[in-house]
Amino acid sequence: MATDVQRNSRHLAGAGPYVLRPLLQNVPLSADGGDEEIKINCVDFLDGNLYVGTTASELLHFFQIPPDPQDPTGSSQFILASRLRPAYSESPSGSRPGVQQILLLPRVAKACVLCNWTVTFYSLPELSPVFGTIQVKNCNWIGGVDLNEGLGSSVDERSRGMTILLSLNRRIQAVRVGEDVRVVRKIDFAGSTLSVRRDSIACVADSRSYSLLDIDRVLKIPLMSISSLDNSQPGGPFGQAQNVASDSDGGLLRSSSSASTRPGLEVPGHARSTSLGGFIAAGVRRQGGRLGGAEDSIFQEGDTPEPSRSPGPAGEPTTNKPLPATPREAGGIAAAQAAGTQSPARTTSPPKPGPVFLRPHIASPSPEEFLIVTGTGPLDPGIGMFVNLDGDPTRPTVEFDRYPREIVVDGASADLSSSRSSMPVDEDGYVLASMGREFPDGLHHGLEIQRFDVNVGEDEPEKFWLEIESSEAGESSPSTPIGIRTLLQTEEMRFEEVVEILCQRRFSPFSGHPSTPTISMGSSDSRTALSMERLSQEKELFDRDLESEEEVLPEGWEAKRNKEGEDFVRSLAKSSSRLAAWAGADIWWAVRNPLLLQLESTLPTSASKSATTDVEKKETRQQLLSLLTAIKDRDAKTELEFMTLGYIKQRASVMLLQAFLESAGSPFTDEEMTIMEQNLVGGDLDARVVLSLIPALRNEIVVNRRGIWIYGGVKDLVQGYISSEKPKPVIQAVSSLPSNVLQFLRRFLAAWRKKKGFGSIPEEVFRTVDASLLLVLLELDQDTPKGQTGKSGTIRKELYDLVDHGVDCFDRAVDLLETYRRLFVLSRLYQHRKMAAEVLATWRRIIEGEEDSGGELGDGEQRVRGYLTNISSQALVQEYGIWLATRNPKLGVQVFADDKGRAPKFEPTQVVEILKEEAPGAVKYYLEHLVFGKGNTAYVNELIAYYLDIVIEDLQSSAASRETVTASYEAYRALRPPKPTYFQFLADNAPPDDEVWQSRLRLLQLLGGGHDYDTAAIRQRLDALESQQQLLVPEAIILDGRAKRHEDAIRLLVHRLGDYDTAASYCLRGGGSLSTPGPGRRDSLPTKEMQARLFRVLLAEFLAIDDLSDRVEQTGALLERFGGWFDVLEVLALIPDSWAVDVTAGFLIKALRTLVRERQESMLTRSLSGAENLRVNYDLLTNIDEKGPVVQTE
């Protein structure tokens, strides 16, 4: 049964929209304190005056004493001002229910009290009797005050008075109370027990049905039966307007026109059928009847048999209808049942039980509608229906799990009866119903709370159950019935729980100031030792203000900030209420529960450490995830709600994190991880608080003197978790964290870094985040293969991005990178800071052999070379250029030779001197750059000297080198024509990596070029080394050519090298044939006479070749190609007679042809000259004849 009753409801302390706050505890109901049977019947409150009516026929007046303004947490106190026993007349039945109602009329400063069915009048606030001895006897109910009227008390309003309704046994009297009291109208409506009025329309109930009354027009519209099992028609056709003007004295006389309907009410066409009641009855019957415990006084039960459940026709008259039971008769039946006496209809299950009389309930949630409650029985569900002033339904119905004892409505309109916070925005509307509910431990009395302003089509409204907690009750308990009423005036109250939770408090991430660890740092690795060292300095770090070391905090600054925060939150954490609930001798305010306390109560009481099984941990996790999902898209309407949602996100996400850290047996899914991470970042919780939950990263937290300020509720949660940790002799290392925790930290910290630039976040936060993220990435990157570059999507790429974009914890980052031996990453960190000296120093450490765990540097020397081009410090370029030239001369020289570098350029003489002193091995390469690259001939002599030193030293020290040179000459001579020149042969066959061979080629290039150098000095060095001179034949040939020793040069070309083509070229170009012609070399060509002489020398050398075949072949080829340079007779004289004519045949034929051609050319020239002479003589004679004789006289 309990399960059915609690369907769609929540029985979680503090989770509902309302909470009970003490108004007055242990009310002195008895003057002597001895009568424990006295109960509270009614309560009202106005202008600091509390009025309590009891079953002892006493009216207690309490005066409110405000709290001390200096004590923000103080509460009001009440003192008993008077104990009044209102006058009353004995009723015919003899029942004395006590003070039944207190009706306060503040506009006229009067009070109406219904005590034992008698109405008396008093003044406010002291409750002095007024109007003499006027009493109204046999009255069932007083009320009907226009809820649309305000509480003003101007003179005009007082003179107008206030109209109330008195429900007598056979009629309703409209009475105006002002300076006097008088009846203004009598309405024939028998047995009314309840009325609620809006303007001139009152919703009235008797013991069987509800009706609408137009007080001004004296019209009645019957609505429906209170019990859907009661099929009798209440006094006329259901739903039709009826005239109920009284014919007795004092009634209002009306003409036919006065009985017309008010605007908007069409009486002829508004013949309501019983389908409305049938709809309600059907809705109730669908709930199904239930048998329960003993009934209480919320119903009346008669002795007549129960009528048929089928409603009669709409217009069917009901004759001989008995009058409804009077309230006193119904009250007697209820009292008997409350005492445990059951009627025969309840002891057995007869076929036709008697009709059930339920207590009517009427409320008005807005100026245009009423809420009425119907049902089938006191233990069955009730249905609340909303009707407008015409009796038409306006909203979806509400369902009560059991027919209520009392109901009130609150909120959702501008009605004065709402209890709301200090800043209402679109306030929700609730209906609160007092009832009993079965639980496994018995019957509990409480308040069922639900929304009434939900739209059609939405989910079934969630219900909340609110009952008296043992800690809240004085002499009351959940088994005591609860009364509830809307008071006349509101009272403001504050929630100190909200202040404690939302007020910012200073948080220390450390459980204390630990002493120096007992473990020796020398026995652990460098990372553990570093952590130990940092731990020993934890207190100093905590007390240090990294933001401004000069800042001096004033004394008491923390207490002042706490007070300011409390005052601010306290100004928001207040609410007003005009709902009072009571049970036994205790009275409470039923006040709107702040959203914070509602959501807080749904959170688990602690982190998952309290859960002992995986099932419990998963349940806790799902509860937290559901809460975060529920508030994810909720928009805050007030500042307090904004703070509330932020706090709940922070607290729930921290609890999720605690569960995650303890979830080894039940790992989180990817979706759960995503939700947790999003809320940890989006909740704006200081990242240092999150890291404080992980001991391995706690020592990375940086705080200044002002500390970390977070919500008090979050602080208590985190500090509780930290204090619950078991002390360990060794600080937990990051390497001990599981992989899933490291991956979470990587994503969380990376997301937090995106907040950089927000001015509201302290600098220390990002120092902590950067240091922690760097530490996590270094730990994760240890699994990356050595030497792998940062590919997109890898841990190493994230590590590079972190240091490349800069970190705020620079010094700590350097320590960490040094600890993990990640020197290349350290150099990238220096690069971001433009610390060129540190970058180069770090690379030098790696190149010189210091361990770099990542191995990412690659070609370090080349990287240094490129980096030196991009820096502007000449000193650094010189320092590391020399260092590089010492290790790699060729590469080092490029540093000094680079014309695109940003640093100021070095003068060549300066560089040469520097290299000679610091890196002698690189001088040659720099000179090569100057001579060959820049064309600077000033250093040719010096470069030639370097080349000679290299070549001569090699030949002197290495027999193999000497043999190689000699073999090259022999190999070249052995080649058959056509063959390349020896210089080309030497270049083609020189080993590319042999420094000596390359130096010799460069030497030959310089010697044979157009450079000016000291030929005599070079010849002197060669002559001093006679044995080597025979090895350096090309060099000797070039020197002989420059010294005009042509015969020696030709002799070496022919006999030592066998380079015949070069020898022939030498005759044409002189020494220039030994190198590539350059600009200006044409003037250095020998004259024709010199060329002819050289050819004769060459012919003689050819004729002296040892090998006969070579001698004949080369001589014949020379004469055939260059025969024009020789005289035939001289050649014939030199050619041995033993040679065949064929050797010189070509030469002779060309020579003879030349002679014939020259003879013919001379003859033609003489003929042309004779003809030209004749032509000139003829022209002379012709000119003389034309001019004639000329006479000259002196």
Side-chain angles (χ1 to χ4, degrees):
M1 175 177 176
T3 303
D4 295 335
V5 171
Q6 297 178 60
R7 178 173 49 89
N8 296 325
S9 65
R10 297 171 64 181
H11 181 63
L12 190 62
Y18 286 82
V19 66
L20 298 178
R21 305 301 295 267
L23 193 159
L24 183 59
Q25 299 288 302
N26 298 320
V27 179
L29 300 179
S30 174
D32 56 5
D35 192 350
E36 298 180 357
E37 297 299 326
I38 301 176
K39 306 297 181 185
I40 298 175
N41 277 343
C42 52
V43 175
D44 214 334
F45 179 77
L46 178 65
D47 294 336
N49 296 277
L50 176 65
Y51 304 97
V52 180
T54 70
T55 58
S57 301
E58 290 183 337
L59 179 58
L60 307 183
H61 175 203
F62 295 90
F63 181 74
Q64 184 183 34
I65 300 177
D68 183 0
Q70 303 300 323
D71 183 9
T73 62
S75 59
S76 300
Q77 301 295 324
F78 288 88
I79 60 173
L80 181 62
S82 65
R83 185 184 294 270
L84 175 69
R85 295 185 66 86
Y88 63 89
S89 300
E90 292 289 345
S91 65
S93 63
S95 65
R96 293 183 180 179
V99 177
Q100 299 160 276
Q101 283 183 264
I102 304 171
L103 181 62
L104 304 181
L105 308 175
R107 205 173 72 188
V108 295
K110 300 295 187 296
C112 303
V113 178
L114 176 60
C115 179
N116 296 326
W117 318 108
T118 302
V119 180
T120 52
F121 301 90
Y122 301 88
S123 63
L124 292 178
E126 72 279 3
L127 296 181
S128 300
V130 294
F131 308 141
T133 59
I134 294 179
Q135 297 181 1
V136 181
K137 303 177 182 179
N138 299 318
C139 183
N140 303 323
W141 173 264
I142 57 174
V145 176
D146 185 4
L147 297 180
N148 291 343
E149 293 183 356
L151 300 178
S153 59
S154 64
V155 176
D156 293 339
E157 291 173 337
R158 287 193 178 195
S159 63
R160 268 201 324 268
M162 295 184 66
T163 300
I164 64 173
L165 300 180
L166 303 181
S167 297
L168 306 180
N169 286 340
R170 294 188 176 276
R171 68 176 57 90
I172 296 177
Q173 287 186 348
V175 178
R176 179 164 295 166
V177 180
E179 297 299 329
D180 59 0
V181 56
R182 69 186 184 91
V183 178
V184 297
R185 189 169 290 107
K186 295 182 180 180
I187 303 171
D188 284 338
F189 195 100
S192 63
T193 59
L194 181 62
S195 62
V196 176
R197 182 162 66 96
R198 290 286 188 179
D199 198 7
S200 65
I201 306 298
C203 185
V204 185
D206 57 22
S207 60
R208 303 177 71 101
S209 63
Y210 298 102
S211 301
L212 293 179
L213 287 181
D214 189 328
I215 304 301
D216 293 340
R217 296 182 177 86
V218 198
L219 297 176
K220 179 179 80 169
I221 301 178
L223 294 180
M224 62 199 67
S225 299
I226 301 173
S227 173
S228 59
L229 301 180
D230 185 1
N231 296 320
S232 63
Q233 291 299 320
F238 180 73
Q240 293 186 0
Q242 306 171 19
N243 192 321
V244 289
S246 175
D247 295 334
S248 60
D249 295 338
L252 294 178
L253 299 178
R254 293 178 179 270
S255 65
S256 60
S257 63
S258 66
S260 63
T261 62
R262 63 186 181 88
L265 180 62
E266 300 178 2
V267 176
H270 196 74
R272 296 171 60 93
S273 68
T274 56
S275 61
L276 181 60
F279 165 75
I280 299 298
V284 174
R285 292 190 188 103
R286 280 195 299 268
Q287 307 302 323
R290 291 192 293 270
L291 297 177
E295 301 170 1
D296 52 27
S297 60
I298 63 173
F299 67 93
Q300 304 164 4
E301 183 172 317
D303 298 330
T304 58
E306 179 183 54
S308 171
R309 295 193 178 194
S310 302
E316 181 180 350
T318 303
T319 60
N320 300 325
K321 174 184 174 183
L323 290 174
T326 65
R328 273 163 282 194
E329 295 169 350
I333 297 173
Q337 292 170 342
T341 305
Q342 296 182 348
S343 65
R346 299 294 292 177
T347 56
T348 60
S349 301
K352 294 182 179 181
V356 175
F357 292 93
L358 301 175
R359 175 180 295 175
H361 299 297
I362 304 174
S364 180
S366 72
E368 298 294 331
E369 60 184 344
F370 298 101
L371 168 62
I372 57 180
V373 182
T374 65
T376 57
L379 303 181
D380 297 330
I383 295 294
M385 181 177 180
F386 298 88
V387 296
N388 60 16
L389 302 185
D390 296 327
D392 298 323
T394 59
R395 303 175 188 261
T397 60
V398 294
E399 176 189 346
F400 304 99
D401 287 344
R402 182 180 285 195
Y403 195 85
R405 292 174 51 86
E406 303 284 350
I407 66 165
V408 293
V409 293
D410 187 43
S413 70
D415 182 41
L416 297 176
S417 64
S418 63
S419 301
R420 48 191 175 268
S421 63
S422 59
M423 299 178 63
V425 179
D426 298 332
E427 191 179 45
D428 300 331
Y430 288 92
V431 57
L432 293 79
S434 172
M435 64 178 66
R437 179 177 286 183
E438 289 291 342
F439 284 89
D441 59 345
L443 180 66
H444 287 209
H445 288 274
L447 300 177
E448 182 185 82
I449 306 169
Q450 60 182 308
R451 290 274 301 276
F452 66 78
D453 56 348
V454 291
N455 297 323
V456 178
E458 292 185 357
D459 294 336
E460 188 172 359
E462 186 177 19
K463 297 180 182 179
F464 300 88
W465 178 253
L466 178 62
E467 64 181 39
I468 301 171
E469 300 293 336
S470 300
S471 59
E472 297 175 349
E475 298 179 356
S476 307
S477 66
S479 61
T480 305
I482 296 179
I484 188 168
R485 174 190 169 98
T486 301
L487 304 182
L488 194 62
Q489 191 175 23
T490 62
E491 175 75 359
E492 185 177 86
M493 57 199 72
R494 294 183 175 89
F495 289 86
E496 289 301 319
E497 308 97 306
V498 175
V499 176
E500 290 299 320
I501 292 174
L502 291 185
C503 187
Q504 295 280 320
R505 303 295 184 187
R506 189 181 184 189
F507 166 70
S508 171
F510 312 109
S511 57
H513 299 306
S515 59
T516 304
T518 56
I519 184 172
S520 172
M521 295 184 184
S523 63
S524 57
D525 61 23
S526 58
R527 279 170 284 179
T528 303
L530 184 60
S531 298
M532 295 296 184
E533 181 181 357
R534 288 182 60 83
L535 180 61
S536 64
Q537 299 172 352
E538 194 171 276
K539 184 177 186 298
E540 178 184 354
L541 177 66
F542 181 76
D543 293 334
R544 185 179 60 202
D545 187 356
L546 297 177
E547 181 178 358
S548 175
E549 296 182 359
E550 301 299 327
E551 181 181 8
V552 178
L553 299 177
E555 184 178 356
W557 70 271
E558 184 175 353
K560 180 180 179 182
R561 176 166 177 176
N562 284 333
K563 185 179 183 303
E564 291 174 350
E566 291 171 0
D567 292 342
F568 171 72
V569 178
R570 192 172 284 115
S571 67
L572 303 176
K574 58 185 179 181
S575 180
S576 61
S577 175
R578 61 186 306 166
L579 299 181
W582 62 87
D586 302 313
I587 307 174
W588 297 270
W589 291 105
V591 61
R592 286 286 179 101
N593 195 17
L595 177 64
L596 172 65
L597 300 184
Q598 296 182 49
L599 297 177
E600 176 85 0
S601 62
T602 62
L603 292 171
T605 56
S606 62
S608 64
K609 285 187 175 182
S610 62
T612 57
T613 65
D614 290 342
V615 174
E616 292 176 348
K617 292 180 180 180
K618 288 183 178 179
E619 290 177 353
T620 299
R621 183 192 315 168
Q622 291 303 319
Q623 188 176 353
L624 294 170
L625 292 170
S626 299
L627 176 59
L628 290 173
T629 303
I631 66 174
K632 176 182 178 181
D633 298 323
R634 178 166 181 166
D635 295 326
K637 301 175 182 178
T638 65
E639 189 168 6
L640 178 62
E641 191 169 335
F642 176 80
M643 296 173 65
T644 294
L645 296 178
Y647 163 76
I648 292 298
K649 284 183 181 179
Q650 292 184 11
R651 183 177 178 88
S653 57
V654 168
M655 296 182 73
L656 267 179
L657 177 58
Q658 294 175 356
F660 169 70
L661 297 176
E662 303 291 333
S663 63
S666 56
F668 276 42
T669 64
D670 292 342
E671 182 180 4
E672 292 171 344
M673 290 290 296
T674 301
I675 294 175
M676 179 181 70
E677 293 166 10
Q678 289 176 348
N679 283 276
L680 283 173
V681 177
D684 294 329
L685 178 63
D686 194 313
R688 294 174 292 181
V689 178
V690 176
L691 297 177
S692 68
L693 298 174
I694 304 174
L697 294 178
R698 194 173 298 156
N699 292 323
E700 300 300 331
I701 298 175
V702 180
V703 294
N704 58 21
R705 290 181 181 176
R706 295 188 179 274
I708 303 171
W709 290 81
I710 58 176
Y711 289 124
V714 178
K715 173 190 174 183
D716 295 341
L717 174 66
V718 176
Q719 283 189 336
Y721 184 87
I722 294 175
S723 61
S724 66
E725 295 176 352
K726 296 180 180 179
K728 298 179 180 179
V730 179
I731 301 301
Q732 182 181 3
V734 179
S735 58
S736 64
L737 294 178
S739 175
N740 61 335
V741 175
L742 290 174
Q743 293 293 342
F744 154 73
L745 289 170
R746 175 180 66 86
R747 295 188 298 269
F748 166 74
L749 294 171
W752 239 98
R753 290 191 81 244
K754 296 178 181 179
K755 296 186 178 185
K756 282 194 174 184
F758 291 6
S760 59
I761 302 177
E763 179 185 356
E764 292 77 19
V765 176
F766 294 112
R767 293 183 184 180
T768 302
V769 169
D770 287 350
S772 302
L773 180 58
L774 179 60
L775 182 57
V776 170
L777 292 177
L778 287 173
E779 189 64 35
L780 290 172
D781 192 54
Q782 292 187 107
D783 297 331
T784 304
K786 190 171 184 178
Q788 179 175 312
T789 57
K791 297 180 181 179
S792 178
T794 61
I795 298 295
R796 184 156 293 179
K797 181 62 166 60
E798 294 184 28
L799 179 61
Y800 288 171
D801 290 342
L802 175 63
V803 297
D804 289 347
H805 289 85
V807 294
D808 292 349
C809 58
F810 180 77
D811 293 337
R812 177 57 178 156
V814 173
D815 292 342
L816 289 174
L817 293 171
E818 292 280 6
T819 301
Y820 277 83
R821 302 180 182 89
R822 299 302 299 273
L823 298 183
F824 177 74
V825 183
L826 176 60
S827 71
R828 297 183 72 124
L829 178 65
Y830 288 140
Q831 279 183 277
H832 176 77
R833 290 285 185 105
K834 301 187 183 304
M835 302 171 66
E838 287 76 7
V839 173
L840 294 169
T842 305
W843 285 347
R844 179 162 63 181
R845 290 166 58 188
I846 300 174
I847 296 171
E848 290 179 349
E850 190 167 339
E851 180 183 1
D852 177 32
S853 299
E856 306 108 302
L857 183 62
D859 189 349
E861 293 179 351
Q862 187 62 46
R863 192 182 291 268
V864 171
R865 157 75 181 90
Y867 188 73
L868 291 174
T869 304
N870 298 322
I871 63 176
S872 58
S873 173
Q874 190 182 52
L876 285 177
V877 172
Q878 177 177 335
E879 177 185 353
Y880 285 92
I882 293 172
W883 172 79
L884 197 58
T886 304
R887 293 182 56 87
N888 188 338
K890 289 184 178 180
L891 199 59
V893 165
Q894 295 178 17
V895 175
F896 298 99
D898 194 352
D899 293 331
K900 298 180 180 180
R902 297 175 58 186
K905 303 299 183 291
F906 292 91
E907 291 297 330
T909 55
Q910 179 186 3
V911 175
V912 171
E913 293 299 325
I914 292 173
L915 293 178
K916 284 182 177 180
E917 181 178 353
E918 302 290 344
V923 175
K924 180 195 68 155
Y925 299 101
Y926 184 70
L927 293 176
E928 287 178 345
H929 162 73
L930 294 177
V931 174
F932 297 110
K934 297 295 185 178
N936 191 339
T937 58
Y939 295 92
V940 171
N941 270 323
E942 196 168 354
L943 182 58
I944 290 176
Y946 270 95
Y947 287 148
L948 280 175
D949 290 340
I950 294 172
V951 173
I952 292 175
E953 181 181 354
D954 180 69
L955 291 176
Q956 288 178 336
S957 61
S958 174
S961 297
R962 293 192 294 270
E963 293 176 358
T964 302
V965 171
T966 303
S968 68
Y969 296 152
E970 294 175 355
Y972 181 76
R973 286 197 301 269
L975 293 177
R976 302 304 302 169
K979 60 182 179 179
T981 64
Y982 179 77
F983 300 101
Q984 185 64 41
F985 172 79
L986 189 62
D988 292 341
N989 292 276
D993 298 329
D994 193 314
E995 184 69 19
V996 176
W997 279 89
Q998 296 300 323
S999 296
R1000 188 180 181 195
L1001 289 176
R1002 288 295 184 92
L1003 174 62
L1004 292 173
Q1005 183 179 354
L1006 290 178
L1007 293 177
H1011 308 294
D1012 294 329
Y1013 53 85
D1014 190 353
T1015 305
I1018 298 174
R1019 168 62 71 177
Q1020 185 178 2
R1021 293 194 63 183
L1022 294 181
D1023 292 342
L1025 301 170
E1026 182 177 355
S1027 59
Q1028 276 70 27
Q1029 183 180 355
Q1030 300 301 319
L1031 296 175
L1032 301 179
V1033 175
E1035 291 82 353
I1037 293 173
I1038 295 173
L1039 293 177
D1040 288 341
R1042 291 181 69 91
K1044 307 300 182 180
R1045 298 165 60 179
H1046 303 303
E1047 293 81 357
D1048 294 338
I1050 292 175
R1051 184 180 305 107
L1052 292 174
L1053 283 171
V1054 174
H1055 298 289
R1056 192 73 181 92
L1057 287 182
D1059 189 354
Y1060 308 120
D1061 291 338
T1062 302
S1065 177
Y1066 187 91
C1067 295
L1068 291 174
R1069 298 172 55 195
S1073 63
L1074 302 178
S1075 62
T1076 302
R1081 292 297 303 277
R1082 298 186 63 87
D1083 295 339
S1084 63
L1085 293 177
T1087 61
K1088 288 187 178 180
E1089 290 77 7
M1090 177 60 70
Q1091 291 175 338
R1093 187 175 73 82
L1094 293 179
F1095 273 112
R1096 289 196 294 274
V1097 172
L1098 179 60
L1099 177 61
E1101 295 297 332
F1102 278 179
L1103 292 173
I1105 295 175
D1106 295 336
D1107 188 271
L1108 179 60
S1109 61
D1110 287 343
R1111 186 191 317 155
V1112 172
E1113 180 181 358
Q1114 295 303 325
T1115 301
L1118 176 64
L1119 294 175
E1120 184 175 358
R1121 292 174 58 194
F1122 302 101
W1125 294 98
F1126 297 98
D1127 183 81
V1128 176
L1129 296 178
E1130 291 181 0
V1131 171
L1132 293 176
L1134 294 175
I1135 295 298
D1137 295 338
S1138 60
W1139 286 13
V1141 177
D1142 293 341
V1143 176
T1144 59
F1147 166 70
L1148 294 176
I1149 292 174
K1150 287 183 179 180
L1152 292 177
R1153 287 177 179 175
T1154 301
L1155 292 175
V1156 172
R1157 183 177 68 253
E1158 290 177 351
R1159 177 174 177 276
Q1160 292 175 348
E1161 288 177 354
S1162 64
M1163 292 176 62
L1164 179 60
T1165 300
R1166 285 195 299 271
S1167 298
L1168 291 175
S1169 298
E1172 184 178 6
N1173 185 37
L1174 290 176
R1175 180 67 181 172
V1176 171
N1177 290 331
Y1178 171 77
D1179 291 340
L1180 176 63
L1181 293 176
T1182 302
N1183 289 334
I1184 292 174
D1185 292 339
E1186 290 179 353
K1187 292 183 177 182
V1190 177
V1191 178
Q1192 294 183 351
T1193 62
E1194 296 181 357

